[in-house]
Every structure is written in structure tokens, then in C-alpha cells.
Coordinates of all heavy atoms in Angstrom, one line a residue:
M1 N 5.5 46.1 -17.5 CA 4.5 46.6 -18.5 C 3.3 45.7 -18.5 O 3.3 44.5 -18.0 CB 5.1 46.6 -19.9 CG 6.1 47.8 -20.1 SD 5.3 49.4 -20.0 CE 4.3 49.4 -21.5
A2 N 2.2 46.2 -19.1 CA 1.0 45.4 -19.2 C 1.1 44.4 -20.3 O 1.9 44.5 -21.2 CB -0.2 46.3 -19.4
A3 N 0.2 43.4 -20.3 CA 0.2 42.4 -21.4 C -0.6 43.0 -22.6 O -1.5 43.8 -22.4 CB -0.5 41.2 -20.9
C4 N -0.2 42.5 -23.8 CA -0.9 42.9 -25.0 C -2.3 42.5 -24.9 O -2.6 41.3 -24.6 CB -0.2 42.2 -26.2 SG -1.1 42.4 -27.7
E5 N -3.2 43.4 -25.3 CA -4.6 43.1 -25.1 C -5.2 42.2 -26.3 O -6.3 41.7 -26.2 CB -5.5 44.3 -25.0 CG -5.5 45.2 -26.2 CD -6.3 46.5 -26.0 OE1 -5.9 47.2 -25.1 OE2 -7.3 46.7 -26.7
V6 N -4.4 42.0 -27.3 CA -4.8 41.1 -28.4 C -4.4 39.7 -28.2 O -5.1 38.7 -28.2 CB -4.3 41.7 -29.7 CG1 -4.6 40.7 -30.9 CG2 -5.0 43.0 -30.0
C7 N -3.1 39.5 -28.0 CA -2.5 38.1 -27.9 C -2.1 37.8 -26.5 O -1.8 36.6 -26.2 CB -1.3 38.0 -28.8 SG 0.1 38.9 -28.3
G8 N -2.1 38.7 -25.5 CA -1.8 38.4 -24.1 C -0.4 38.3 -23.8 O 0.0 38.0 -22.7
N9 N 0.5 38.6 -24.8 CA 1.9 38.5 -24.5 C 2.4 39.6 -23.6 O 2.1 40.8 -23.7 CB 2.7 38.7 -25.9 CG 4.2 38.5 -25.8 OD1 4.6 37.9 -24.9 ND2 4.9 39.1 -26.7
D10 N 3.1 39.2 -22.5 CA 3.6 40.1 -21.5 C 5.0 40.5 -21.9 O 6.0 39.8 -21.7 CB 3.6 39.5 -20.1 CG 3.7 40.5 -19.0 OD1 4.1 41.7 -19.3 OD2 3.6 40.2 -17.9
Y11 N 5.1 41.6 -22.6 CA 6.4 42.0 -23.2 C 6.9 43.3 -22.7 O 6.1 44.3 -22.6 CB 6.0 42.1 -24.7 CG 7.2 42.5 -25.6 CD1 8.4 41.9 -25.5 CD2 7.0 43.4 -26.7 CE1 9.5 42.3 -26.4 CE2 8.0 43.8 -27.5 CZ 9.2 43.2 -27.4 OH 10.3 43.5 -28.2
D12 N 8.1 43.4 -22.3 CA 8.6 44.6 -21.6 C 8.8 45.8 -22.6 O 9.0 46.9 -22.2 CB 9.9 44.4 -20.8 CG 11.0 43.9 -21.7 OD1 10.9 44.0 -22.9 OD2 12.1 43.6 -21.1
M13 N 8.6 45.6 -23.9 CA 8.6 46.7 -24.9 C 7.2 47.0 -25.4 O 7.1 47.7 -26.4 CB 9.5 46.3 -26.1 CG 11.0 46.1 -25.7 SD 11.8 47.7 -25.5 CE 12.1 48.2 -27.2
A14 N 6.2 46.5 -24.7 CA 4.9 46.9 -25.0 C 4.6 48.4 -25.1 O 5.3 49.1 -24.3 CB 3.9 46.2 -24.1
F15 N 3.7 48.8 -25.9 CA 3.4 50.2 -26.0 C 1.9 50.5 -25.9 O 1.1 49.6 -26.1 CB 4.0 50.8 -27.3 CG 3.5 50.1 -28.6 CD1 2.4 50.6 -29.2 CD2 4.1 48.9 -29.0 CE1 1.9 50.0 -30.4 CE2 3.6 48.3 -30.2 CZ 2.5 48.8 -30.8
E16 N 1.6 51.7 -25.6 CA 0.2 52.1 -25.5 C -0.2 52.9 -26.7 O 0.6 53.7 -27.3 CB 0.0 53.0 -24.2 CG 0.3 52.3 -22.9 CD 0.0 53.2 -21.7 OE1 -0.2 54.4 -21.9 OE2 0.0 52.6 -20.6
V17 N -1.4 52.7 -27.1 CA -2.0 53.5 -28.2 C -3.3 54.1 -27.7 O -4.1 53.4 -27.1 CB -2.3 52.6 -29.4 CG1 -3.1 53.4 -30.5 CG2 -1.1 52.0 -30.0
R18 N -3.4 55.5 -27.8 CA -4.6 56.1 -27.4 C -5.5 56.4 -28.6 O -5.1 57.0 -29.5 CB -4.2 57.5 -26.7 CG -5.2 58.1 -25.8 CD -4.7 59.3 -25.2 NE -3.5 59.0 -24.3 CZ -3.6 58.8 -23.0 NH1 -4.8 58.9 -22.4 NH2 -2.6 58.5 -22.2
A19 N -6.7 55.8 -28.5 CA -7.6 56.0 -29.7 C -9.0 56.2 -29.2 O -9.5 55.5 -28.3 CB -7.6 54.7 -30.5
A20 N -9.6 57.3 -29.7 CA -11.0 57.6 -29.3 C -11.2 57.7 -27.8 O -12.2 57.3 -27.2 CB -12.0 56.7 -29.9
G21 N -10.2 58.2 -27.1 CA -10.3 58.3 -25.6 C -10.0 57.1 -24.8 O -9.9 57.2 -23.6
A22 N -9.7 56.0 -25.4 CA -9.4 54.8 -24.7 C -7.9 54.5 -24.9 O -7.3 54.8 -25.9 CB -10.2 53.6 -25.2
V23 N -7.3 53.9 -23.9 CA -5.9 53.5 -24.0 C -5.8 52.0 -24.2 O -6.3 51.2 -23.5 CB -5.1 53.9 -22.8 CG1 -3.6 53.5 -22.9 CG2 -5.2 55.4 -22.6
H24 N -5.1 51.6 -25.3 CA -4.9 50.2 -25.6 C -3.4 49.8 -25.4 O -2.5 50.7 -25.6 CB -5.3 49.9 -27.1 CG -6.7 50.3 -27.4 ND1 -7.7 49.4 -27.1 CD2 -7.3 51.4 -27.9 CE1 -8.9 50.0 -27.5 NE2 -8.6 51.2 -27.9
V25 N -3.1 48.6 -25.1 CA -1.7 48.1 -24.9 C -1.5 47.0 -25.8 O -2.2 46.0 -25.9 CB -1.5 47.7 -23.4 CG1 -0.1 47.2 -23.2 CG2 -1.8 48.8 -22.4
F26 N -0.4 47.1 -26.6 CA 0.0 46.1 -27.6 C 1.5 45.8 -27.4 O 2.3 46.6 -27.0 CB -0.3 46.6 -29.0 CG -1.7 47.0 -29.2 CD1 -2.0 48.4 -29.3 CD2 -2.7 46.1 -29.3 CE1 -3.4 48.8 -29.5 CE2 -4.1 46.5 -29.4 CZ -4.4 47.8 -29.6
D27 N 1.8 44.6 -27.9 CA 3.2 44.2 -27.9 C 3.8 44.4 -29.3 O 5.0 44.2 -29.5 CB 3.4 42.8 -27.4 CG 2.8 41.8 -28.4 OD1 1.8 42.1 -29.1 OD2 3.2 40.6 -28.5
S28 N 3.0 44.6 -30.3 CA 3.5 44.7 -31.7 C 2.5 45.5 -32.5 O 1.3 45.6 -32.2 CB 3.7 43.3 -32.3 OG 2.4 42.7 -32.4
F29 N 3.0 46.1 -33.6 CA 2.2 46.8 -34.5 C 1.2 45.8 -35.2 O 0.1 46.2 -35.6 CB 3.0 47.5 -35.6 CG 3.6 48.8 -35.0 CD1 5.0 48.8 -34.8 CD2 2.8 49.9 -34.6 CE1 5.6 50.0 -34.2 CE2 3.4 51.0 -34.1 CZ 4.8 51.1 -33.9
E30 N 1.6 44.6 -35.3 CA 0.6 43.6 -35.9 C -0.6 43.5 -35.0 O -1.7 43.5 -35.5 CB 1.3 42.3 -36.1 CG 0.4 41.3 -36.7 CD 1.1 39.9 -37.0 OE1 2.2 39.8 -36.6 OE2 0.4 39.0 -37.5
C31 N -0.4 43.4 -33.7 CA -1.5 43.3 -32.8 C -2.3 44.6 -32.8 O -3.6 44.6 -32.7 CB -1.1 42.9 -31.4 SG -0.5 41.2 -31.3
A32 N -1.6 45.8 -32.8 CA -2.3 47.0 -32.9 C -3.2 47.2 -34.1 O -4.4 47.6 -34.0 CB -1.3 48.2 -32.8
A33 N -2.7 46.7 -35.2 CA -3.4 46.8 -36.5 C -4.6 45.9 -36.4 O -5.7 46.2 -36.8 CB -2.6 46.5 -37.7
H34 N -4.4 44.7 -35.8 CA -5.5 43.7 -35.7 C -6.7 44.3 -34.9 O -7.8 44.1 -35.3 CB -5.0 42.5 -35.0 CG -6.0 41.4 -34.8 ND1 -6.4 40.5 -35.8 CD2 -6.8 41.1 -33.7 CE1 -7.4 39.8 -35.3 NE2 -7.6 40.1 -34.0
K35 N -6.3 45.1 -33.9 CA -7.4 45.7 -33.0 C -8.0 47.0 -33.6 O -9.2 47.2 -33.5 CB -6.8 45.9 -31.6 CG -7.7 46.5 -30.6 CD -8.6 45.5 -30.0 CE -9.5 46.1 -28.9 NZ -10.2 45.1 -28.2
L36 N -7.1 47.8 -34.2 CA -7.5 49.2 -34.4 C -7.7 49.5 -35.9 O -8.5 50.4 -36.2 CB -6.5 50.2 -33.9 CG -6.3 50.1 -32.3 CD1 -5.2 51.1 -31.9 CD2 -7.6 50.5 -31.6
A37 N -7.1 48.8 -36.8 CA -7.1 49.2 -38.2 C -8.5 48.9 -38.8 O -9.1 47.8 -38.6 CB -6.1 48.5 -39.0
P38 N -9.1 49.9 -39.5 CA -10.4 49.6 -40.1 C -10.2 48.6 -41.3 O -9.1 48.4 -41.8 CB -10.8 51.0 -40.6 CG -9.5 51.8 -40.8 CD -8.6 51.3 -39.7
I39 N -11.3 48.0 -41.7 CA -11.3 47.0 -42.7 C -12.0 47.6 -44.0 O -13.1 48.2 -43.8 CB -11.9 45.7 -42.3 CG1 -11.1 45.1 -41.1 CG2 -12.1 44.7 -43.4 CD1 -11.8 44.0 -40.5
C40 N -11.3 47.5 -45.1 CA -11.9 48.0 -46.4 C -13.3 47.3 -46.6 O -13.4 46.0 -46.5 CB -11.0 47.7 -47.5 SG -11.6 48.2 -49.1
D41 N -14.3 48.1 -46.9 CA -15.6 47.5 -47.1 C -15.8 46.9 -48.4 O -16.8 46.3 -48.7 CB -16.7 48.6 -46.9 CG -17.0 48.9 -45.4 OD1 -17.5 48.0 -44.8 OD2 -16.8 50.0 -45.0
N42 N -14.8 47.0 -49.3 CA -14.9 46.3 -50.6 C -14.0 45.1 -50.6 O -14.6 44.0 -50.9 CB -14.4 47.3 -51.7 CG -14.5 46.6 -53.1 OD1 -15.6 46.1 -53.5 ND2 -13.4 46.5 -53.8
C43 N -12.7 45.2 -50.4 CA -11.9 44.0 -50.5 C -11.6 43.3 -49.2 O -11.0 42.2 -49.2 CB -10.6 44.4 -51.3 SG -9.5 45.4 -50.3
G44 N -11.9 44.0 -48.1 CA -11.7 43.3 -46.8 C -10.3 43.3 -46.2 O -10.0 42.8 -45.2
C45 N -9.4 44.1 -46.9 CA -8.0 44.1 -46.3 C -8.0 45.2 -45.2 O -8.8 46.0 -45.1 CB -7.0 44.5 -47.4 SG -7.1 46.3 -47.9
R46 N -7.0 45.1 -44.3 CA -6.9 46.0 -43.2 C -6.2 47.3 -43.8 O -5.2 47.2 -44.5 CB -6.0 45.5 -42.1 CG -6.8 44.4 -41.4 CD -6.2 44.1 -40.0 NE -7.0 43.0 -39.4 CZ -8.2 43.2 -38.9 NH1 -8.7 44.4 -38.7 NH2 -8.9 42.2 -38.4
I47 N -6.7 48.4 -43.4 CA -6.3 49.7 -43.9 C -5.2 50.2 -43.0 O -5.5 50.7 -41.8 CB -7.4 50.7 -44.1 CG1 -8.5 50.1 -45.0 CG2 -6.9 52.0 -44.5 CD1 -9.8 50.9 -45.0
L48 N -3.9 50.2 -43.4 CA -2.8 50.7 -42.6 C -2.3 52.0 -43.0 O -1.6 52.7 -42.3 CB -1.7 49.6 -42.6 CG -2.0 48.3 -42.1 CD1 -0.8 47.3 -42.2 CD2 -2.5 48.3 -40.6
G49 N -2.7 52.4 -44.2 CA -2.4 53.8 -44.6 C -3.5 54.7 -44.3 O -4.2 54.5 -43.3
H50 N -3.6 55.8 -45.0 CA -4.7 56.7 -44.7 C -6.1 56.3 -45.1 O -7.0 56.5 -44.4 CB -4.4 58.1 -45.4 CG -3.2 58.8 -44.8 ND1 -2.0 58.8 -45.4 CD2 -3.1 59.6 -43.7 CE1 -1.1 59.5 -44.6 NE2 -1.8 60.0 -43.6
G51 N -6.2 55.6 -46.2 CA -7.5 55.1 -46.6 C -8.5 56.2 -46.9 O -8.2 57.4 -46.9
H52 N -9.7 55.8 -47.1 CA -10.8 56.7 -47.3 C -12.0 56.3 -46.5 O -12.2 55.2 -46.3 CB -11.2 56.7 -48.8 CG -10.2 57.1 -49.8 ND1 -9.8 58.4 -50.0 CD2 -9.3 56.4 -50.5 CE1 -8.9 58.5 -50.8 NE2 -8.5 57.3 -51.2
E53 N -12.7 57.3 -46.0 CA -13.9 57.0 -45.2 C -15.0 57.9 -45.7 O -14.9 59.1 -46.0 CB -13.6 57.4 -43.7 CG -14.7 56.8 -42.8 CD -15.6 57.9 -42.2 OE1 -15.1 59.0 -41.9 OE2 -16.8 57.7 -42.1
T54 N -16.1 57.3 -46.0 CA -17.3 58.0 -46.5 C -18.6 57.3 -46.1 O -18.6 56.0 -46.1 CB -17.3 58.2 -48.0 OG1 -18.4 59.0 -48.4 CG2 -17.3 56.9 -48.8
D55 N -19.6 58.0 -45.7 CA -20.8 57.4 -45.2 C -20.6 56.3 -44.2 O -21.3 55.3 -44.1 CB -21.6 56.8 -46.4 CG -22.3 57.8 -47.2 OD1 -22.3 59.0 -46.8 OD2 -22.8 57.5 -48.3
G56 N -19.6 56.4 -43.4 CA -19.3 55.4 -42.3 C -18.7 54.2 -42.9 O -18.5 53.2 -42.2
M57 N -18.3 54.2 -44.2 CA -17.6 53.0 -44.8 C -16.2 53.4 -45.0 O -15.8 54.5 -45.3 CB -18.3 52.6 -46.1 CG -19.8 52.2 -45.9 SD -20.6 51.9 -47.5 CE -19.9 50.3 -47.9
F58 N -15.3 52.3 -44.8 CA -13.9 52.6 -45.1 C -13.4 51.8 -46.3 O -13.9 50.7 -46.6 CB -13.1 52.0 -43.9 CG -13.2 52.9 -42.6 CD1 -14.2 52.5 -41.7 CD2 -12.4 54.0 -42.4 CE1 -14.3 53.3 -40.5 CE2 -12.6 54.8 -41.3 CZ -13.5 54.4 -40.3
F59 N -12.5 52.5 -47.0 CA -12.0 51.9 -48.2 C -10.5 52.0 -48.2 O -9.9 53.0 -47.7 CB -12.5 52.5 -49.5 CG -14.0 52.3 -49.6 CD1 -14.9 53.4 -49.4 CD2 -14.6 51.1 -49.9 CE1 -16.2 53.3 -49.5 CE2 -16.0 51.0 -50.0 CZ -16.8 52.1 -49.8
C60 N -9.7 51.0 -48.7 CA -8.3 51.1 -48.7 C -7.8 52.0 -49.7 O -6.6 52.5 -49.6 CB -7.7 49.7 -48.9 SG -8.1 48.9 -50.5
G61 N -8.6 52.3 -50.7 CA -8.1 53.3 -51.8 C -9.3 53.7 -52.6 O -10.4 53.1 -52.5
A62 N -9.1 54.6 -53.5 CA -10.1 55.1 -54.4 C -10.7 54.0 -55.3 O -11.9 54.0 -55.6 CB -9.6 56.3 -55.2
H63 N -9.9 53.1 -55.7 CA -10.4 52.0 -56.5 C -11.5 51.2 -55.8 O -12.6 51.0 -56.4 CB -9.2 51.0 -56.9 CG -9.7 49.8 -57.5 ND1 -10.1 49.7 -58.8 CD2 -10.0 48.5 -57.0 CE1 -10.6 48.5 -59.1 NE2 -10.5 47.8 -58.0
C64 N -11.3 50.9 -54.6 CA -12.3 50.1 -53.9 C -13.6 51.0 -53.6 O -14.7 50.5 -53.7 CB -11.8 49.6 -52.6 SG -10.8 48.1 -52.8
A65 N -13.4 52.3 -53.4 CA -14.5 53.2 -53.2 C -15.3 53.2 -54.5 O -16.6 53.2 -54.5 CB -14.0 54.6 -52.9
R66 N -14.6 53.3 -55.7 CA -15.4 53.4 -56.9 C -16.1 52.1 -57.2 O -17.2 52.1 -57.7 CB -14.4 53.6 -58.1 CG -14.0 55.1 -58.2 CD -13.4 55.4 -59.6 NE -12.1 54.7 -59.7 CZ -10.9 55.1 -59.4 NH1 -10.8 56.3 -58.8 NH2 -9.8 54.4 -59.5
V67 N -15.6 50.9 -56.8 CA -16.3 49.7 -57.0 C -17.6 49.7 -56.3 O -18.6 49.1 -56.8 CB -15.4 48.5 -56.5 CG1 -16.2 47.2 -56.5 CG2 -14.2 48.3 -57.4
K68 N -17.7 50.3 -55.1 CA -18.9 50.4 -54.4 C -19.8 51.6 -54.7 O -20.8 51.9 -54.1 CB -18.5 50.5 -52.9 CG -18.0 49.2 -52.3 CD -19.1 48.1 -52.3 CE -18.6 46.9 -51.5 NZ -19.6 45.8 -51.5
G69 N -19.3 52.4 -55.8 CA -20.2 53.4 -56.3 C -19.8 54.8 -55.7 O -20.5 55.8 -56.0
Y70 N -18.7 54.9 -54.9 CA -18.3 56.2 -54.4 C -17.3 56.8 -55.4 O -16.1 56.8 -55.2 CB -17.8 56.1 -53.0 CG -18.8 55.7 -52.0 CD1 -18.9 54.4 -51.7 CD2 -19.7 56.6 -51.5 CE1 -19.9 54.0 -50.8 CE2 -20.7 56.2 -50.6 CZ -20.8 54.9 -50.2 OH -21.7 54.5 -49.4
T71 N -17.8 57.4 -56.5 CA -16.9 57.9 -57.5 C -16.3 59.2 -57.2 O -15.4 59.7 -58.0 CB -17.7 58.0 -58.9 OG1 -18.8 58.8 -58.7 CG2 -18.1 56.6 -59.3
N72 N -16.7 59.8 -56.1 CA -16.1 61.2 -55.8 C -14.8 61.1 -55.1 O -14.1 62.1 -54.9 CB -17.1 61.9 -54.9 CG -17.4 61.2 -53.6 OD1 -17.6 60.0 -53.7 ND2 -17.6 61.9 -52.5
L73 N -14.3 59.9 -54.7 CA -13.1 59.8 -53.9 C -11.9 59.5 -54.9 O -12.0 58.8 -55.8 CB -13.2 58.6 -53.0 CG -14.2 58.7 -51.8 CD1 -14.2 57.5 -51.0 CD2 -13.9 59.9 -51.0
V74 N -10.8 60.2 -54.6 CA -9.6 60.1 -55.4 C -8.5 59.9 -54.5 O -8.4 60.4 -53.4 CB -9.4 61.3 -56.4 CG1 -10.5 61.4 -57.4 CG2 -9.3 62.6 -55.6
D75 N -7.5 59.1 -55.0 CA -6.2 59.0 -54.2 C -5.4 60.3 -54.3 O -5.4 60.9 -55.3 CB -5.4 57.8 -54.8 CG -5.9 56.5 -54.3 OD1 -6.3 56.4 -53.1 OD2 -6.0 55.5 -55.1
H76 N -4.8 60.6 -53.2 CA -4.0 61.8 -53.2 C -2.6 61.6 -53.6 O -1.8 62.6 -53.8 CB -4.0 62.4 -51.7 CG -5.4 62.8 -51.3 ND1 -6.0 63.8 -51.8 CD2 -6.2 62.2 -50.3 CE1 -7.2 63.9 -51.2 NE2 -7.3 63.0 -50.3
S77 N -2.1 60.4 -53.9 CA -0.8 60.2 -54.3 C -0.6 60.3 -55.8 O -1.6 60.2 -56.5 CB -0.3 58.8 -53.9 OG -1.2 57.8 -54.4
Ligands
LIG1 ZN1 0.1 41.0 -29.1
LIG2 ZN1 -10.0 47.7 -50.6

């Protein structure tokens, strides 16, 4: 298998993730999240759930969207 493109670990259980037409190789979900997960534009945490996207900005939840003035977003849960 190929080496993880984030940490370089050559791991025989590495997996591929196809995103936006490119194929990425990772040895762990932690590395995949490090590379692919968007970052909340308010609190800076990595968004591993569905999150919200508006005006090209990502938010981890409706609370962070509201802090930035996007009051139209609501959590679906
Ligand atoms: Zn890795
Ligand atoms: Zn947030």
C-alpha cells in the first residue's frame, strides 16, 4: 500500500479517500480529518459531522453560524 500523505506512515491497512476528483491515501481517520475536514470559521474546530456551509464559510453548528451573523442556519437535530 501507499504511504499516508499526511504523516508518511507506510501502513498495510491504509485507505483511499476520493474527494473533489482527487484520490488521497491515509493510514487513519485522524490523518484524513487533518487533511480534508473543513475548519469552523468561528471557533476553529475541525468539522467531522455535517456542519453548515454558507457564503463559502464553514461552521460546526448553527450556534457558530449565528455568532458570525448567519441567523438563517438551524441545526437539523
Ligand atoms: Zn497518517
Ligand atoms: Zn464552531
Side-chain angles (χ1 to χ4, degrees):
M1 283 297 290
C4 172
E5 67 182 60
V6 173
C7 68
N9 184 25
D10 195 350
Y11 180 44
D12 63 6
M13 294 283 282
F15 57 94
E16 294 182 350
V17 174
R18 199 175 297 266
V23 178
H24 301 275
V25 179
F26 304 107
D27 66 331
S28 66
F29 284 108
E30 182 177 359
C31 287
H34 179 81
K35 179 83 177 189
L36 299 177
I39 295 171
C40 177
D41 279 299
N42 181 58
C43 70
C45 73
R46 292 199 180 278
I47 301 167
L48 299 177
H50 288 99
H52 296 282
E53 193 250 321
T54 184
D55 282 351
M57 299 175 74
F58 288 95
F59 299 105
C60 63
H63 168 77
C64 281
R66 280 197 296 272
V67 169
K68 288 292 189 180
Y70 295 97
T71 54
N72 56 322
L73 296 178
V74 293
D75 280 321
H76 294 294
S77 56

